[in-house]
């Protein structure tokens, strides 16, 4: 456990030089100084803040993290050097970075049932799915602008299809009613009372509950994973005339808008999993990843329908995400407390390259930070959401905002963590600024 580094026997010292890639006013003199060997990151942070204040008296104290040979320090300097076999007789270079810590916990956005899904990929709004069968669009904490009404069973997954698009946004929802639905709304709409809208298209074809939905990067297609063990591919941009029209009238009344509604069929199916396909991702035009309760992660060619990678994980899987270095690492969690990460580019891919085991129950969600090679979040049935950095085995911080199972999690606007749970809350923790790094810097730090 970390201490402040200022107690106990401080007679042993280590000669260190602090370095950083941060710009002024964060830089400190390049000369070496002596610090107590029992200093942890808290004691080191005090030293760096004092050095900055010497040059800038108006400096406000800020927490820092510290890297030695590319690894975050999470124990005393003395213990770290012993564990890594590093000599204390030479000058030790320690890089300091701004600590990633949450600054503010916003008021929760209340739902009428379990919050099972969240997508924060658009900076203008975020989207939630709920066990009451509704999707909801939120402009900010507690500010709901649209209610997506139509599913007859819980919404299990949501996806924003064109997050950076024009005013008119398309989103997809997947449900235990065996269908997916496509919706359009004006993302710039501001109103005091949420507008109820109906889907413009219903996608039918799965024979069991639909568990996950993901959009192709172009937005032209989506894929879905189901309890029927299949992955279906659907078009999102085909005209209404290609489907069977369900409702041809368009009407708008107070608080409710309904447009023409059509039905669509899957253009193809990917077959190979033997149990529920719990999570799907479509990170590249021709590449789909899937996770399943059959203990496997698969990578599919969307054009040929063939799988080119099959990782056996040993546990039923609940969640999957692709990101990290070169957007190539695979993170997944399931029916144990361990978040695991694989690098498919390396031989012997079945062995994870990282494992994080601070949760105490099943892992239900994981999500990479879009602009960092090191950071990702996870949610668990233990009710906690954790932020991880690949350079240490301990979580950077733990969000303990839920009073029941945490079911979903995502990033929003780069520095906000969203999470939904069985306590019917969508919780929002803001100000968790992740330092965006240039690829040249990252290559130096990746082992």
């Amino acid at each position: 456990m970390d201490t402040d580094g200022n107690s106990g026997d401080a007679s042993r010292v280590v000669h260190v030089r602090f370095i950083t890639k941060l710009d002024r006013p964060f830089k400190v003199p390049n000369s070496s100084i002596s610090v107590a060997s029992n200093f942890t990151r808290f004691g080191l942070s005090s030293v760096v803040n004092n050095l900055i204040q010497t040059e800038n008296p108006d400096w406000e104290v800020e927490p820092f993290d510290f890297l030695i040979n590319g690894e975050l320090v999470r124990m005393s300097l003395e213990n770290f050097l012993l564990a890594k076999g590093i000599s204390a007789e030479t000058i030790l270079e320690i890089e300091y970075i701004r600590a990633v810590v949450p600054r503010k916990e916003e008021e929760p956005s209340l739902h009428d049932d379990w919050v099972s899904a969240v997508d924060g990929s658009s900076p203008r709004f975020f989207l939630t799915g709920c066990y009451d069968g509704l999707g909801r669009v939120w402009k900010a904490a507690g500010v709901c602008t649209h209610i997506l009404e139509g599913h007859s069973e819980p919404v299990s997954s949501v996806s924003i299809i064109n997050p950076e698009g024009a005013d008119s946004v398309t989103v997809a929802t997947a449900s235990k009613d065996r269908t997916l639905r496509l919706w359009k709304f004006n993302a710039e709409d501001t109103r005091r009372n949420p507008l109820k809208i109906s889907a413009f298209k219903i996608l039918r074809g799965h024979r069991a509950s639909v568990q996950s939905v993901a959009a192709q990067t172009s937005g032209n297609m989506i894929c879905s994973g189901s309890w029927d063990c299949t992955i279906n591919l659907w078009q999102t941009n085909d005209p209404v005339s290609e489907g069977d029209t369900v409702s041809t009238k368009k009407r708008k009344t107070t608080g409710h808008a309904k447009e023409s509604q059509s039905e669509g069929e899957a253009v193809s199916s990917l077959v190979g999993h033997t149990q529920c396909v719990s999570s799907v991702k479509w990170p590249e035009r021709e590449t789909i990843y899937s996770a399943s309760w059959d203990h496997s992660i698969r990578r599919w060619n969307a054009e040929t329908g063939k799988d080119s990678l099959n990782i056996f994980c040993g546990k039923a899987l609940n969640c999957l995400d692709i990101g990290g270095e070169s957007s190539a690492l695979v993170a997944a969690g399931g029916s144990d407390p361990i978040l695991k990460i694989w690098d498919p580019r390396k031989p012997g891919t079945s062995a994870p390259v990282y494992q994080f085991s601070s949760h105490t129950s099943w892992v239900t969600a994981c999500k990479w930070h879009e602009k960092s090679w090191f950071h990702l979040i996870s949610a668990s049935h233990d009710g906690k959401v954790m932020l991880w950095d690949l350079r240490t085995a301990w979580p950077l911080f733990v969000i303990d905002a839920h009073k029941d199972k945490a079911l979903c999690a995502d990033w929003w606007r780069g520095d906000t963590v969203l999470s939904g749970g069985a306590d019917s809350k969508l919780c929002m923790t803001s100000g968790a600024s992740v330092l965006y790094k240039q690829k040249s810097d990252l290559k130096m730090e990746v082992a």
Side-chain angles (χ1 to χ4, degrees):
M1 179 179 295
D2 284 324
T3 67
D4 61 9
N6 296 322
S7 61
D9 180 13
S11 59
R12 292 173 59 86
V13 298
V14 179
H15 300 286
V16 304
R17 179 182 293 114
F18 291 107
I19 61 174
T20 188
K21 296 184 179 74
L22 298 172
D23 296 326
R24 292 188 180 279
F26 291 93
K27 290 189 179 296
V28 301
N30 197 37
S31 55
S32 64
I33 62 173
S34 298
V35 300
S37 63
N38 65 348
F39 270 22
T40 66
R41 59 190 174 115
F42 300 115
L44 294 173
S45 191
S46 295
V47 172
V48 170
N49 275 288
N50 288 335
L51 290 171
I52 296 175
Q53 283 178 331
T54 301
E55 301 290 330
N56 182 4
D58 296 328
W59 173 258
E60 294 185 4
V61 173
E62 171 141 355
F64 292 100
D65 264 321
F66 298 86
L67 293 153
I68 298 176
N69 294 338
E71 186 172 343
L72 281 169
V73 177
R74 282 296 183 270
M75 57 187 74
S76 71
L77 281 178
E78 185 172 30
N79 289 340
F80 187 92
L81 297 181
L82 287 172
K84 303 301 176 182
I86 301 173
S87 172
E89 302 301 320
T90 59
I91 296 176
L92 183 66
E93 280 202 342
I94 303 179
E95 180 184 356
Y96 60 97
I97 60 177
R98 298 179 72 180
V100 180
V101 293
R103 310 284 177 170
K104 183 180 179 183
E105 189 171 306
E106 309 284 351
E107 285 296 315
S109 301
L110 302 180
H111 293 63
D112 294 329
D113 210 329
W114 291 12
V115 183
S116 48
V118 62
D119 186 338
S121 59
S122 172
R124 296 176 289 174
F125 65 92
F126 59 90
L127 177 65
T128 61
C130 182
Y131 263 56
D132 62 7
L134 302 176
R136 291 175 174 86
V137 180
W138 305 82
K139 280 286 189 181
V143 183
C144 179
T145 59
H146 298 80
I147 295 176
L148 315 183
E149 192 175 60
H151 284 296
S152 59
E153 297 289 341
V155 174
S156 50
S157 182
V158 296
S159 179
I160 301 172
I161 295 174
N162 56 335
E164 304 295 337
D167 291 350
S168 179
V169 174
T170 304
V171 302
T173 56
S175 171
K176 295 184 181 296
D177 65 9
R178 304 185 181 187
T179 72
L180 297 100
R181 294 180 185 237
L182 301 179
W183 320 73
K184 286 185 185 293
F185 58 88
N186 184 351
E188 302 303 321
D189 198 2
T190 57
R191 55 180 61 245
R192 292 184 178 179
N193 298 314
L195 176 67
K196 293 182 179 180
I197 60 175
S198 299
F200 71 86
K201 194 169 190 178
I202 303 174
L203 306 178
R204 303 185 190 275
H206 281 298
R207 302 182 307 278
S209 298
V210 187
Q211 191 67 14
S212 180
V213 59
Q216 187 187 43
T217 51
S218 67
N220 294 328
M221 299 186 73
I222 58 172
C223 65
S224 57
S226 168
W227 277 88
D228 64 12
C229 310
T230 67
I231 302 164
N232 283 353
L233 278 60
W234 318 80
Q235 288 186 342
T236 62
N237 60 350
D238 53 341
V240 171
S241 59
E242 291 186 10
D244 298 323
T245 300
V246 176
S247 174
T248 57
K249 294 182 180 180
K250 180 177 181 180
R251 60 186 175 88
K252 184 174 182 179
T253 58
T254 303
H256 194 285
K258 185 173 182 180
E259 297 190 0
S260 299
Q261 197 173 71
S262 63
E263 292 193 0
E265 296 180 350
V267 296
S268 62
S269 293
L270 309 179
V271 179
H273 285 297
T274 58
Q275 292 193 46
C276 167
V277 181
S278 54
S279 185
V280 290
K281 297 294 176 183
W282 201 334
E284 299 174 356
R285 178 178 175 82
E286 295 184 359
T287 304
I288 293 173
Y289 285 85
S290 60
S292 170
W293 278 37
D294 66 11
H295 301 186
S296 74
I297 295 171
R298 298 193 183 209
R299 182 178 62 202
W300 306 82
N301 184 303
E303 297 291 332
T304 65
K306 304 295 184 182
D307 65 320
S308 58
L309 177 70
N310 189 337
I311 303 173
F312 179 74
C313 307
K315 296 287 182 179
L317 296 172
N318 297 321
C319 58
L320 170 80
D321 198 33
I322 314 300
E325 182 186 351
S326 301
S327 298
L329 302 184
V330 180
S335 58
D336 65 12
I338 303 173
L339 176 66
K340 299 177 182 178
I341 299 172
W342 292 264
D343 187 346
R345 302 167 299 178
K346 294 186 176 182
T349 297
S350 59
V353 292
Y354 299 97
Q355 297 190 73
F356 301 107
S357 53
S358 292
H359 283 298
T360 58
S361 188
W362 288 18
V363 177
T364 53
C366 57
K367 186 69 176 183
W368 289 98
H369 193 284
E370 184 182 15
K371 295 184 179 179
S372 171
W373 284 13
F374 301 117
H375 298 93
L376 71 163
I377 52 176
S378 62
S380 168
H381 279 176
D382 62 15
K384 296 176 174 60
V385 177
M386 298 186 181
L387 171 64
W388 304 94
D389 186 313
L390 298 188
R391 295 166 293 186
T392 180
W394 290 272
L396 295 187
F397 66 78
V398 178
I399 301 172
D400 195 9
H402 291 285
K403 305 304 180 187
D404 206 331
K405 302 181 185 74
L407 303 175
C408 57
D410 199 3
W411 294 93
W412 189 44
R413 295 178 174 172
D415 70 345
T416 298
V417 177
L418 305 171
S419 61
D423 55 5
S424 304
K425 292 187 208 174
L426 189 285
C427 295
M428 179 185 296
T429 305
S430 61
S433 297
V434 171
L435 181 62
Y436 304 158
K437 300 190 176 184
Q438 300 296 321
K439 289 184 177 181
S440 58
D441 294 338
L442 291 164
K443 288 177 181 176
M444 294 171 61
E445 295 182 8
V446 175

